[in-house]
Amino acid sequence: MISFESDYTTGAHPTVLRRLIETNLEPLSGYGTDPYCESARRKIREACECPDADVHFLVGGTQTNSTVIAALLRDYEGVVAAKTGHVSLHEAGAVEYTGHKVLELPQENGKIQADVLADYLRGFYGDEAYEHMVFPGMVYISHPTEYGTLYTKAELTALAEVCRQYELPLFLDGARLGYGLMSYQTDLTLPDIARLCDVFYIGGTKVGALCGEAVVFTKNNAPRHFFTITKQHGALLAKGRLLGVQFDALFTDNLYFEIGRHAIDMSEKLKRMFAEKGYEFFMDSPTNQQFVILTNEKYEELKKHVVMTWWEPYGEDRSVVRFAASWSTTDDDLAALEKLL
Amino acid sequence: MISFESDYTTGAHPTVLRRLIETNLEPLSGYGTDPYCESARRKIREACECPDADVHFLVGGTQTNSTVIAALLRDYEGVVAAKTGHVSLHEAGAVEYTGHKVLELPQENGKIQADVLADYLRGFYGDEAYEHMVFPGMVYISHPTEYGTLYTKAELTALAEVCRQYELPLFLDGARLGYGLMSYQTDLTLPDIARLCDVFYIGGTKVGALCGEAVVFTKNNAPRHFFTITKQHGALLAKGRLLGVQFDALFTDNLYFEIGRHAIDMSEKLKRMFAEKGYEFFMDSPTNQQFVILTNEKYEELKKHVVMTWWEPYGEDRSVVRFAASWSTTDDDLAALEKLL
Amino acid sequence: MISFESDYTTGAHPTVLRRLIETNLEPLSGYGTDPYCESARRKIREACECPDADVHFLVGGTQTNSTVIAALLRDYEGVVAAKTGHVSLHEAGAVEYTGHKVLELPQENGKIQADVLADYLRGFYGDEAYEHMVFPGMVYISHPTEYGTLYTKAELTALAEVCRQYELPLFLDGARLGYGLMSYQTDLTLPDIARLCDVFYIGGTKVGALCGEAVVFTKNNAPRHFFTITKQHGALLAKGRLLGVQFDALFTDNLYFEIGRHAIDMSEKLKRMFAEKGYEFFMDSPTNQQFVILTNEKYEELKKHVVMTWWEPYGEDRSVVRFAASWSTTDDDLAALEKLL
Amino acid sequence: MISFESDYTTGAHPTVLRRLIETNLEPLSGYGTDPYCESARRKIREACECPDADVHFLVGGTQTNSTVIAALLRDYEGVVAAKTGHVSLHEAGAVEYTGHKVLELPQENGKIQADVLADYLRGFYGDEAYEHMVFPGMVYISHPTEYGTLYTKAELTALAEVCRQYELPLFLDGARLGYGLMSYQTDLTLPDIARLCDVFYIGGTKVGALCGEAVVFTKNNAPRHFFTITKQHGALLAKGRLLGVQFDALFTDNLYFEIGRHAIDMSEKLKRMFAEKGYEFFMDSPTNQQFVILTNEKYEELKKHVVMTWWEPYGEDRSVVRFAASWSTTDDDLAALEKLL
């Protein structure tokens, strides 16, 4: 059985795991105060070219989204997000659970367009009854999006400008950021993102760690007592070393970027392989997931040997199927799949 | 520098770590659906002699407490806890953040007495205005308590009886359960706890794991859609394997109990060592932490070589200092400390 | 200055006010336990032909919506509502503040269509990831809707059937129910509504009372301890008599229906008057509000003598303007307006 | 049957009611924007000698407490209150429902002592683990307290000084403020309270209105968008006139103070009457409630003719019983009671 199911099906990248083993017996203080956390923070600030950034380590994606969003909003504010945003749809209402509305905007390929955002904000303050409504308090985007698509530098710059005009923090969910940064089709760098966003997170769970997300407040804008807020959300890890050691490894010798690049290389090979065999794509994907159209017959046949993700029906007798690459995808996996196609 | 700071200062027990390494490359489905989680659940049910128990893996203690408590309570209910309970004091209001009051009772050595609970409940329903008050909806205790003390079987049985009389679920926080179970002074077994409590958790973080707590609903009483509730609380780990593999290792060949026993042995040796050298104790501790009274001078001197936890002042020129043992405490550590005393 | 601004611009209907005056000096117990509340409950049950209904009096509409919705939902559930629903848009996120998502459906003239609801629910349980999503836990509609439109008996029956199929309570917001019931164009009676809905409220504030909404749980399905829940939401009035006396008056000698009918008669006269003078309507309204298209010039001119509500622009130089009738609208008001047109 | 049950058993003071009648037909804009609300705000600012105060009208006491407290606190903060505070005990957890802990302090006669508060605050910031705890974010007191007792000017000044030292807003719950201000034993005036507190409310419900509490932010410190926050809490009344007209009447020609004085006079007469007849008091009460010790036999006998409130048992065969005076208590009521004693 070969797996293209997701980018979180295998454990940690071997280098990350090795560092956990090497440091295992060192007694270290808890709650993110150990020297590995400190070192990881320093390296992340450097990689972001953001010397004043405040970096916090949390455990998982949904947790990070709801903690950061609740920390930035006042009670009467909501978070603006695409209708297809992860916080809108697939986090079991974690944001609403903290008392805040997700203000959903229409999207294009998973992305919020700057003019759509500007129209919404203008309309909000143009509405006579706006004081009876939830105030837009920040903007949430994901990059790569839930569809694996990417903002261009121009698009992100335009979004950031609208946000600044209305004094709304821009928050980028980078659960799969490594794949976005190393896409063949992106013009956005990590320093660009740090410059344009007010806060974002660098996903570890889906990019080679066992768990962990690094939240970067880029402009000295970490909410007061964010440590306590994290604790209140159940998001403060006692053995903070588990996160510190992993992110220290990921940001040593460019490992985070190499993991991203490897998965992108594998994904591009997948794309070429399917294309050469005459398969159609549901959409063009610049990141580590390919959405391929298979006949249902072919899908059922493949299922015996391959783990992949059924996405949605495509006409009468075909389906969209997602193939994901990760740090652990090998050329052998690809060869085995090719043989089956 | 030798460390008696806490039981979460070193990484994972070597056997736990080895299993993470061995399984690292296996592609496994996420969110707790992998076979290691399944195997760990089975082994935990067996160890609890509780074949119908529903077992869920969460990441940390505060998270587990607030998720379980919020899941069990209706909006108008609060959780009864000792004034010194972890949920009352040291979780940054995580329970209140979910909308529920912690109804604080007086304690004795960190424990709630059955008659105090019974009096409170009788009084609550005896109060004419009780419909204007927060209803007691469940009872929270910790074992070992925040003071390292233990309930006897008689005490826990009495508490459980009061809970049943008033139809309140009894929830036991077992962040350090392993040390409680292996204390030289306990008459409570894991099956006893499973029988007497409606839900409890088996702490991993402080008993040899990198992270992780195993919640056991003992009586087919897991709240509906607890999976979704966990997600909503940001407590659902994508790479659930990290928890499954660790708990599977901890409940293979009695490792969890061996870890507990080792720390208890070390703690008892600490106790003997201090006693033989004429030190006084702040209280008698049956578990893995010893509370010793040091002169401030001695404390300052030791601090150069030993990491320990200052607890509180004791008279003019002495202090209570906590020494904690864990899976990684060695006889060499003890010998080094003895030399310094 | 004549006012067609809204149905809550004048005080109480004279009969309601008279009863407040007559009972003012009687000492009565608080919190809804007085005999006027009891009598009002009895009369409402009779008017609804719903002898087992549980009736509670709350103060205002937003408060009633968020209290009832929070009381009926479990933490992991949200309320399904039209995108234009009052709870979705104009209640400052009061529902989200209680931790619940408003699951927004597309609407037609402010109404949810039964097939749209059925499709949504089927799709929800058809989604592989549904356990990561907010569960639909109840359905909210308003009648009249925010646009002043009405469900037909067939439409409400179809909606109720879908709700029952999926075991979701159907909640009807009747802030302006009196106008819906007395519309010339409705085939729905109060007993129909009580039969088809699981809970609804009879609006007092906008139908002749100073304040107050009567919540009717029609099927012995009031949530446990709803009294305490109401208190927790700050929605329990100490001098409950203020609500009891008013609703007792409104449901004596059909006053509630007469108030509704009077406003509908006035609204129909408004409609005829505008039509005869050649004005166009933005939409056909069966209730107490008429949406008329005026040139901006005419609007500015009228504004000097008439209070009305500007709604939205209509093309380049025209606007939609709302004229509302209420219990206190008189033929003199209409005559004065006619003269100005 | 004569009633000394409470100060909210009769309707509105006749002057208040008369103003409601006189203004009933005037069309007025909603949500507190009408001229009566404006006039009431002006008069309250004058009475408080607080020209910059921001005044908002809410409907009830619990609602006011939870709205003001939630508006002033950040997520990680709680409200400090006496263990016997109304928010601690008798509001069904309304504060916790908004996500905030009530940090309970010991009390003396219902009052928080300044030194107890100072010790608590010093200890909080002295605790090494304070970042894992709920931060004290404001202080709540009631005046009169739940026991009918009063702060002296010296006591309130001392409390205010501690609050200022720690930069905590001081919030005074004045549900029965009128009785406190007119007590024979107080040295605190309304301007004193406005000067010493950061926010307080002037209770209407229990001092002659049908409903309504006037919140006074005394130092230009109303939270941003308090209007929207009020709406989100379901505390914004559509017919705001109901509150505006009543408070305008209460603050015209000193009516509020006269109502308070009348009840105090009646209460002092009650006290004298009981004392002269040899009854003992449970405590000395300076406000409108007297706590008298009756034999159970006497209590049962009186119950046939008098409505009063049983408070608690007093020894074997006696009870503490509360007699409350209000705007509507008459000399005839007293004479009738005297006859029965």
Side-chain angles (χ1 to χ4, degrees):
Chain A
M1 205 74 168
I2 46 175
S3 177
F4 295 95
E5 188 189 358
S6 177
D7 36 25
Y8 52 87
T9 55
T10 48
H13 186 276
T15 306
V16 171
L17 192 58
R18 183 169 50 75
R19 291 298 294 145
L20 285 174
I21 298 166
E22 289 169 355
T23 59
N24 190 55
L25 286 178
E26 297 176 24
L28 297 172
S29 59
Y31 303 112
T33 61
D34 66 274
Y36 294 103
C37 282
E38 212 33 76
S39 165
R41 283 188 195 104
R42 193 170 35 75
K43 290 175 184 170
I44 286 172
R45 281 192 283 259
E46 274 166 28
C48 294
E49 296 177 8
C50 205
D52 299 330
D54 197 8
V55 182
H56 291 261
F57 301 110
L58 277 72
V59 179
T62 294
Q63 179 186 86
T64 302
N65 285 334
S66 66
T67 304
V68 169
I69 288 169
L72 284 176
L73 296 180
R74 304 301 317 242
D75 281 4
Y76 52 84
E77 294 175 332
V79 56
V80 179
K83 218 177 148 56
T84 51
H86 208 255
V87 296
S88 314
L89 261 184
H90 287 113
E91 300 191 350
V95 169
E96 287 85 0
Y97 192 64
T98 70
H100 299 285
K101 189 178 184 75
V102 179
L103 299 160
E104 299 178 3
L105 289 192
Q107 48 80 34
E108 218 165 278
N109 292 320
K111 295 187 277 183
I112 297 178
Q113 304 301 313
D115 58 341
V116 171
L117 177 64
D119 282 353
Y120 162 70
L121 293 170
R122 202 179 305 115
F124 176 80
Y125 288 102
D127 191 315
E128 290 208 23
Y130 81 97
E131 283 189 308
H132 294 250
M133 296 163 74
V134 176
F135 280 62
M138 65 186 292
V139 174
Y140 164 96
I141 58 173
S142 42
H143 180 88
T145 68
E146 292 70 21
Y147 289 167
T149 53
L150 294 171
Y151 286 88
T152 64
K153 194 188 289 196
E155 286 172 334
L156 191 62
T157 303
L159 263 187
E161 272 166 17
V162 177
C163 287
R164 261 146 230 188
Q165 188 187 340
Y166 285 90
E167 296 183 10
L168 299 179
L170 177 58
F171 171 37
L172 182 147
D173 171 341
R176 293 188 161 98
L177 188 59
Y179 308 124
L181 292 172
M182 303 314 288
S183 166
Y184 296 176
Q185 298 170 47
T186 192
D187 60 351
L188 268 175
T189 65
L190 186 53
D192 288 337
I193 285 171
R195 185 172 43 79
L196 292 168
C197 297
D198 299 278
V199 52
F200 69 102
Y201 77 86
I202 301 170
T205 306
K206 289 169 179 167
V207 191
L210 288 170
C211 62
E213 324 293 321
V215 180
V216 185
F217 291 98
T218 60
K219 305 185 192 321
N220 267 326
N221 60 332
R224 275 192 73 193
H225 298 301
F226 190 70
F227 178 93
T228 305
I229 292 170
T230 303
K231 176 86 179 180
Q232 189 178 42
H233 282 257
L236 185 65
L237 203 61
K239 287 188 178 168
R241 66 189 298 143
L242 171 58
L243 305 173
V245 170
Q246 290 188 96
F247 271 98
D248 191 52
L250 287 170
F251 280 83
T252 299
D253 298 337
N254 289 316
L255 178 58
Y256 190 76
F257 302 94
E258 273 177 28
I259 289 172
R261 171 55 58 103
H262 173 80
I264 290 294
D265 287 346
M266 291 290 134
S267 178
E268 291 287 335
K269 284 182 185 173
L270 270 173
K271 191 194 287 190
R272 216 171 320 127
M273 182 198 306
F274 280 111
E276 281 169 3
K277 299 219 175 287
Y279 287 87
E280 285 174 62
F281 295 87
F282 177 58
M283 58 185 293
D284 180 57
S285 165
T287 51
N288 70 317
Q289 307 179 356
Q290 297 299 331
F291 297 85
V292 185
I293 296 164
L294 301 181
T295 62
N296 291 343
E297 195 184 1
K298 189 73 196 172
Y299 172 68
E300 291 300 327
E301 190 191 312
L302 273 184
K303 239 170 87 171
K304 292 171 202 150
H305 311 286
V306 181
V307 191
M308 58 217 150
T309 305
W310 185 89
W311 204 248
E312 57 183 65
Y314 191 84
E316 286 284 294
D317 48 11
R318 294 198 291 175
S319 292
V320 180
V321 178
R322 189 188 73 179
F323 294 80
S326 80
W327 68 263
S328 61
T329 306
T330 63
D331 280 319
D332 286 357
D333 293 336
L334 294 185
L337 176 63
E338 187 158 26
K339 229 160 145 186
L340 291 164
L341 288 176
Chain B
M1 206 71 169
I2 46 173
S3 176
F4 295 94
E5 188 190 358
S6 176
D7 36 24
Y8 51 87
T9 54
T10 47
H13 185 279
T15 307
V16 170
L17 193 59
R18 183 170 49 76
R19 290 299 294 146
L20 284 174
I21 299 165
E22 289 170 356
T23 58
N24 190 54
L25 287 178
E26 297 177 24
L28 297 172
S29 58
Y31 303 112
T33 62
D34 66 273
Y36 294 103
C37 283
E38 210 34 76
S39 164
R41 283 188 196 104
R42 193 169 35 74
K43 289 173 184 169
I44 286 172
R45 280 191 286 258
E46 274 167 27
C48 295
E49 296 178 10
C50 204
D52 298 330
D54 198 9
V55 182
H56 291 261
F57 301 110
L58 276 72
V59 179
T62 293
Q63 179 186 85
T64 301
N65 284 334
S66 66
T67 305
V68 169
I69 289 169
L72 283 176
L73 295 180
R74 303 303 315 242
D75 282 3
Y76 50 85
E77 295 175 333
V79 57
V80 179
K83 218 176 149 56
T84 51
H86 208 256
V87 295
S88 314
L89 261 184
H90 287 114
E91 300 192 349
V95 169
E96 287 85 359
Y97 191 65
T98 70
H100 299 285
K101 189 178 183 74
V102 179
L103 299 160
E104 298 178 3
L105 289 194
Q107 49 80 33
E108 220 166 277
N109 292 320
K111 296 187 278 183
I112 298 178
Q113 305 301 315
D115 57 342
V116 171
L117 176 64
D119 282 353
Y120 163 69
L121 294 170
R122 202 179 307 114
F124 175 80
Y125 288 103
D127 191 315
E128 289 208 24
Y130 80 98
E131 284 188 308
H132 293 251
M133 297 164 75
V134 176
F135 281 62
M138 65 187 293
V139 174
Y140 164 96
I141 57 173
S142 42
H143 181 87
T145 68
E146 293 69 21
Y147 288 167
T149 53
L150 294 172
Y151 286 87
T152 63
K153 195 189 286 194
E155 285 173 335
L156 191 62
T157 303
L159 263 185
E161 272 166 16
V162 177
C163 287
R164 262 148 227 185
Q165 188 186 341
Y166 284 91
E167 296 183 9
L168 299 180
L170 177 58
F171 171 38
L172 182 146
D173 172 338
R176 293 187 162 99
L177 188 59
Y179 308 124
L181 292 173
M182 304 313 288
S183 166
Y184 296 175
Q185 297 170 47
T186 192
D187 59 350
L188 267 174
T189 65
L190 187 53
D192 288 336
I193 286 171
R195 185 173 42 79
L196 292 168
C197 297
D198 299 278
V199 53
F200 69 102
Y201 78 85
I202 302 170
T205 306
K206 288 167 180 170
V207 192
L210 288 170
C211 62
E213 322 293 322
V215 180
V216 184
F217 290 99
T218 60
K219 306 186 189 322
N220 267 327
N221 60 334
R224 276 191 74 193
H225 297 301
F226 190 71
F227 178 93
T228 304
I229 291 170
T230 304
K231 176 87 180 178
Q232 189 178 40
H233 282 256
L236 185 65
L237 202 63
K239 287 187 178 168
R241 65 189 298 141
L242 171 58
L243 305 173
V245 169
Q246 290 187 97
F247 272 97
D248 192 51
L250 287 170
F251 280 83
T252 299
D253 298 336
N254 289 317
L255 178 59
Y256 190 76
F257 303 94
E258 274 177 27
I259 289 172
R261 170 55 58 102
H262 173 81
I264 290 294
D265 287 346
M266 292 289 132
S267 178
E268 292 286 335
K269 285 182 186 174
L270 270 173
K271 192 194 289 189
R272 218 172 316 131
M273 180 197 305
F274 280 110
E276 282 169 3
K277 299 216 175 288
Y279 287 87
E280 286 174 62
F281 294 87
F282 177 58
M283 56 185 292
D284 179 57
S285 165
T287 52
N288 69 316
Q289 308 179 357
Q290 297 299 330
F291 297 85
V292 185
I293 296 165
L294 302 181
T295 61
N296 291 343
E297 194 185 1
K298 189 75 197 169
Y299 172 67
E300 291 301 327
E301 190 192 312
L302 273 185
K303 241 171 86 170
K304 292 172 200 150
H305 310 284
V306 181
V307 193
M308 57 217 152
T309 305
W310 186 89
W311 203 250
E312 58 184 64
Y314 191 83
E316 285 284 295
D317 49 9
R318 296 198 290 173
S319 293
V320 180
V321 178
R322 190 188 72 179
F323 294 79
S326 80
W327 69 262
S328 62
T329 305
T330 62
D331 280 317
D332 285 357
D333 294 336
L334 295 185
L337 177 61
E338 188 157 26
K339 230 159 144 186
L340 292 164
L341 289 177
Chain C
M1 206 74 168
I2 45 174
S3 176
F4 295 94
E5 188 189 357
S6 177
D7 36 25
Y8 52 87
T9 55
T10 47
H13 185 277
T15 307
V16 171
L17 192 58
R18 183 170 47 77
R19 290 298 295 146
L20 285 173
I21 299 165
E22 289 169 356
T23 59
N24 190 54
L25 286 177
E26 297 177 22
L28 297 172
S29 59
Y31 303 113
T33 60
D34 66 273
Y36 294 103
C37 283
E38 210 35 76
S39 164
R41 284 189 194 104
R42 192 170 36 74
K43 289 175 183 169
I44 286 173
R45 280 192 285 259
E46 272 165 29
C48 294
E49 297 177 8
C50 205
D52 299 329
D54 198 9
V55 182
H56 291 261
F57 300 110
L58 277 71
V59 179
T62 294
Q63 179 187 84
T64 301
N65 284 334
S66 65
T67 304
V68 169
I69 288 169
L72 284 175
L73 295 180
R74 303 303 315 242
D75 281 3
Y76 51 83
E77 294 175 334
V79 57
V80 179
K83 218 177 150 55
T84 51
H86 208 255
V87 294
S88 314
L89 260 184
H90 288 112
E91 300 191 351
V95 169
E96 287 85 0
Y97 192 64
T98 69
H100 299 285
K101 190 179 182 76
V102 179
L103 299 159
E104 298 178 2
L105 289 193
Q107 48 79 35
E108 219 165 277
N109 292 320
K111 296 186 278 183
I112 298 178
Q113 304 301 314
D115 57 342
V116 170
L117 176 64
D119 283 354
Y120 163 70
L121 293 170
R122 203 179 304 115
F124 176 81
Y125 288 102
D127 191 314
E128 290 210 21
Y130 81 98
E131 284 188 309
H132 293 251
M133 296 163 75
V134 176
F135 281 63
M138 66 187 291
V139 174
Y140 164 95
I141 57 174
S142 42
H143 180 87
T145 68
E146 292 70 20
Y147 288 167
T149 53
L150 294 172
Y151 286 88
T152 64
K153 194 188 288 194
E155 285 172 335
L156 191 63
T157 304
L159 263 186
E161 272 167 15
V162 176
C163 287
R164 262 147 228 187
Q165 188 186 341
Y166 285 91
E167 296 182 9
L168 299 180
L170 177 58
F171 171 36
L172 182 147
D173 171 339
R176 293 188 163 98
L177 188 58
Y179 308 124
L181 292 172
M182 304 313 289
S183 166
Y184 296 176
Q185 298 170 47
T186 193
D187 60 351
L188 268 175
T189 65
L190 186 54
D192 288 336
I193 285 170
R195 185 173 43 80
L196 292 168
C197 297
D198 298 280
V199 52
F200 69 102
Y201 77 86
I202 301 171
T205 305
K206 289 169 179 167
V207 191
L210 288 170
C211 62
E213 323 293 321
V215 180
V216 184
F217 291 99
T218 60
K219 306 184 188 324
N220 267 326
N221 59 333
R224 276 191 73 193
H225 297 301
F226 190 70
F227 178 93
T228 305
I229 292 170
T230 303
K231 176 86 180 178
Q232 189 178 42
H233 282 257
L236 186 65
L237 202 61
K239 287 189 179 168
R241 66 190 297 141
L242 172 58
L243 305 173
V245 169
Q246 290 187 96
F247 272 97
D248 192 51
L250 288 170
F251 280 83
T252 299
D253 298 337
N254 289 316
L255 178 59
Y256 190 76
F257 302 95
E258 273 175 29
I259 289 173
R261 169 56 58 102
H262 174 79
I264 290 293
D265 287 346
M266 291 291 134
S267 178
E268 291 286 335
K269 284 182 186 175
L270 270 172
K271 192 193 289 189
R272 217 171 318 128
M273 180 199 306
F274 281 110
E276 280 169 3
K277 299 217 174 285
Y279 287 87
E280 285 173 62
F281 294 87
F282 177 58
M283 58 185 293
D284 179 56
S285 165
T287 52
N288 69 317
Q289 309 179 354
Q290 297 299 330
F291 298 85
V292 185
I293 297 164
L294 301 182
T295 61
N296 292 342
E297 195 184 359
K298 189 73 196 171
Y299 172 67
E300 291 301 327
E301 190 192 311
L302 272 185
K303 242 171 86 172
K304 291 170 204 152
H305 310 286
V306 181
V307 192
M308 58 214 151
T309 306
W310 185 90
W311 204 249
E312 58 184 65
Y314 191 84
E316 285 284 295
D317 49 11
R318 295 198 289 174
S319 292
V320 180
V321 177
R322 189 188 73 179
F323 294 80
S326 80
W327 69 264
S328 60
T329 306
T330 62
D331 279 318
D332 285 357
D333 294 336
L334 294 186
L337 177 62
E338 186 157 25
K339 229 157 144 187
L340 293 163
L341 288 176
Chain D
M1 206 74 170
I2 46 175
S3 177
F4 295 95
E5 188 188 357
S6 175
D7 37 24
Y8 51 87
T9 55
T10 47
H13 185 277
T15 307
V16 171
L17 192 59
R18 182 170 49 77
R19 290 299 294 146
L20 285 173
I21 298 164
E22 289 169 357
T23 59
N24 190 54
L25 286 177
E26 296 177 24
L28 298 171
S29 59
Y31 303 112
T33 61
D34 65 274
Y36 294 103
C37 283
E38 211 35 76
S39 165
R41 283 188 195 103
R42 192 168 38 71
K43 290 174 184 170
I44 286 173
R45 280 191 286 258
E46 273 166 28
C48 295
E49 296 177 11
C50 205
D52 299 330
D54 198 8
V55 182
H56 291 261
F57 300 110
L58 276 71
V59 180
T62 294
Q63 180 188 84
T64 301
N65 284 334
S66 65
T67 304
V68 169
I69 289 170
L72 284 176
L73 295 180
R74 302 303 315 241
D75 281 4
Y76 51 84
E77 295 175 333
V79 57
V80 180
K83 220 178 149 54
T84 50
H86 208 255
V87 295
S88 313
L89 262 185
H90 288 115
E91 300 191 349
V95 169
E96 288 85 359
Y97 192 66
T98 70
H100 299 285
K101 189 178 184 74
V102 180
L103 299 159
E104 299 178 3
L105 288 193
Q107 48 79 35
E108 220 164 277
N109 292 321
K111 294 188 277 183
I112 298 179
Q113 304 301 314
D115 57 342
V116 171
L117 177 64
D119 283 353
Y120 162 71
L121 293 170
R122 201 178 307 113
F124 175 81
Y125 287 102
D127 190 316
E128 290 209 22
Y130 80 98
E131 283 188 308
H132 293 251
M133 295 163 75
V134 176
F135 281 63
M138 66 186 292
V139 174
Y140 163 96
I141 56 173
S142 42
H143 182 87
T145 68
E146 293 69 20
Y147 289 167
T149 54
L150 293 172
Y151 286 88
T152 63
K153 196 188 288 196
E155 286 173 334
L156 192 62
T157 303
L159 263 186
E161 272 166 18
V162 177
C163 287
R164 261 148 228 186
Q165 187 186 342
Y166 285 91
E167 296 183 10
L168 300 180
L170 177 58
F171 171 37
L172 182 147
D173 171 339
R176 292 187 163 99
L177 188 58
Y179 308 124
L181 292 172
M182 303 314 288
S183 166
Y184 296 176
Q185 298 170 47
T186 192
D187 60 351
L188 269 174
T189 65
L190 187 53
D192 288 336
I193 286 171
R195 186 173 42 80
L196 292 167
C197 297
D198 299 279
V199 53
F200 69 103
Y201 77 87
I202 300 170
T205 305
K206 290 168 179 167
V207 191
L210 288 170
C211 61
E213 323 292 322
V215 181
V216 184
F217 291 98
T218 60
K219 305 184 192 321
N220 267 327
N221 60 333
R224 276 191 72 193
H225 297 302
F226 190 70
F227 179 93
T228 305
I229 291 170
T230 304
K231 176 87 180 179
Q232 188 178 40
H233 281 257
L236 186 65
L237 202 62
K239 286 187 179 169
R241 66 188 298 142
L242 171 57
L243 305 173
V245 169
Q246 290 187 97
F247 272 97
D248 192 50
L250 288 170
F251 280 83
T252 299
D253 298 337
N254 290 316
L255 179 58
Y256 190 75
F257 303 94
E258 275 177 28
I259 289 173
R261 171 55 57 104
H262 174 78
I264 290 294
D265 288 345
M266 292 290 132
S267 178
E268 292 286 336
K269 285 182 187 175
L270 269 172
K271 193 194 288 188
R272 218 171 319 130
M273 179 197 309
F274 280 110
E276 282 169 2
K277 298 215 176 289
Y279 288 87
E280 286 173 62
F281 294 87
F282 177 58
M283 55 185 294
D284 179 58
S285 166
T287 52
N288 69 317
Q289 308 179 357
Q290 298 299 331
F291 297 85
V292 185
I293 297 164
L294 301 182
T295 61
N296 292 342
E297 196 184 356
K298 189 75 196 171
Y299 172 66
E300 291 301 327
E301 190 191 312
L302 273 184
K303 240 170 88 172
K304 291 172 203 150
H305 310 285
V306 181
V307 192
M308 58 217 150
T309 305
W310 185 90
W311 203 250
E312 58 185 64
Y314 191 83
E316 285 284 295
D317 48 10
R318 295 198 289 173
S319 292
V320 180
V321 178
R322 189 188 72 180
F323 294 81
S326 79
W327 69 262
S328 61
T329 306
T330 62
D331 280 317
D332 286 355
D333 294 336
L334 295 184
L337 177 62
E338 187 158 25
K339 229 160 142 185
L340 292 165
L341 288 176

